[in-house]
Each structure stands twice: as structure tokens, then as C-alpha cells.
Amino acid sequence: MRALLGICVLALVTPAVLGRTMDRCSLAREMANMGVSRDQLSKWACIAEHESSYRTGVVGPPNTDGSNDYGIFQINDMYWCQPSSGKFSHNGCDVSCNALLTDDIKSSVRCALKVLGQQGWSAWSTWHYCSGYLPPIDDCFV
């Protein structure tokens, strides 16, 4: 029983070890290279800062409904990605939640853009930090 508990704890910790920590400018440059509009990059950087501290491998603690949030933008597994546990998900982004935890942020960005398109910026609970004045992102492209 103790070995099983150890394996479960290791399985929960492993995704956090696998990701990388970005910063405001590295995120902005990668997202710009993926075609995300520059006028949105300050908002995305703010969301990533407040949701995950720019860390790609973060799985958030359980929400009140039992769901979890994944990756740099903390995308919810009840609606947007399929968790590896097999529990029900609407999987609106047609992606595994584990794909949102990797160093490659393409899946996270694609899914976050889909969430934005369907729910707007307020889909992120930290949006109130990002809805006012934000410093320009232009210094990241000098």
C-alpha cells in the first residue's frame, strides 16, 4: 500500500518537473511567432504570470467542482482538455491535458485562443489583474 501511495505521489509531482519556466518576453516572442496579435500579448503575459507564474508544467489544485487546470494558462479539464485519468471532459480543444504541460506551448496557445474566442478574457479568474493598464510588450521585440 505504501509503494502504491509513493507511485501516486510521484505521478502527481512528475508533470510539474517536466515543464519550463518562461518569462514575459519569451512568452510574447513565441506567441508572436505563432501568429498571435501583438496587441494581445501583454494580456496573455499577464494571465500567464498570474495563473502559473509562467510555468508550463503546472497542474492546479482541485477546483470546487473537482476539475483541475493545466499548463501556463491553467486550462480547465472539465471543459477544454481530456485528463489522463479518463474522467469525463467536454474536451473543447480536442487535446489531452498532458499536452498542455510540455515545454512546447503550441497546444496551450491554440487552446487558450479557443477559450478566448468562446468565453472572452473573463474566462480566466485572474483577469481582474490584467484588465487595466498593462506595460507595453514592445521592449520584448527590440
Side-chain angles (χ1 to χ4, degrees):
M1 188 64 165
R2 194 172 259 207
L4 180 61
L5 179 63
I7 291 170
C8 290
V9 168
L10 183 60
L12 289 173
V13 173
T14 300
V17 174
L18 295 177
R20 69 176 161 144
T21 301
M22 302 181 79
D23 61 34
R24 181 174 181 269
C25 287
S26 61
L27 177 65
R29 285 189 296 268
E30 281 194 43
M31 291 184 77
N33 287 340
M34 293 175 63
V36 176
S37 174
R38 276 203 189 187
D39 65 344
Q40 291 185 351
L41 295 178
S42 290
K43 293 173 187 171
W44 286 118
C46 181
I47 288 171
E49 176 185 3
H50 291 286
E51 289 287 346
S52 68
S53 299
Y54 297 109
R55 294 174 298 150
T56 63
V58 175
V59 177
N63 296 309
T64 56
D65 62 4
S67 66
N68 290 90
D69 301 320
Y70 289 77
I72 195 164
F73 299 117
Q74 290 293 277
I75 293 171
N76 186 269
D77 68 1
M78 183 178 291
Y79 301 101
W80 300 106
C81 66
Q82 181 61 56
S84 60
S85 68
K87 74 178 176 181
F88 174 79
S89 171
H90 294 281
N91 197 6
C93 290
D94 195 30
V95 67
S96 80
C97 296
N98 286 342
L100 305 177
L101 301 176
T102 67
D103 290 355
D104 182 348
I105 64 168
K106 286 183 184 88
S107 293
S108 291
V109 171
R110 278 190 221 110
C111 189
L113 290 170
K114 188 166 192 173
V115 172
L116 176 65
Q118 291 189 18
Q119 295 185 324
W121 293 109
S122 62
W124 285 272
S125 62
T126 58
W127 174 243
H128 62 280
Y129 295 111
C130 309
S131 60
Y133 170 79
L134 295 172
I137 204 89
D138 296 334
D139 61 322
C140 296
F141 296 94
V142 176

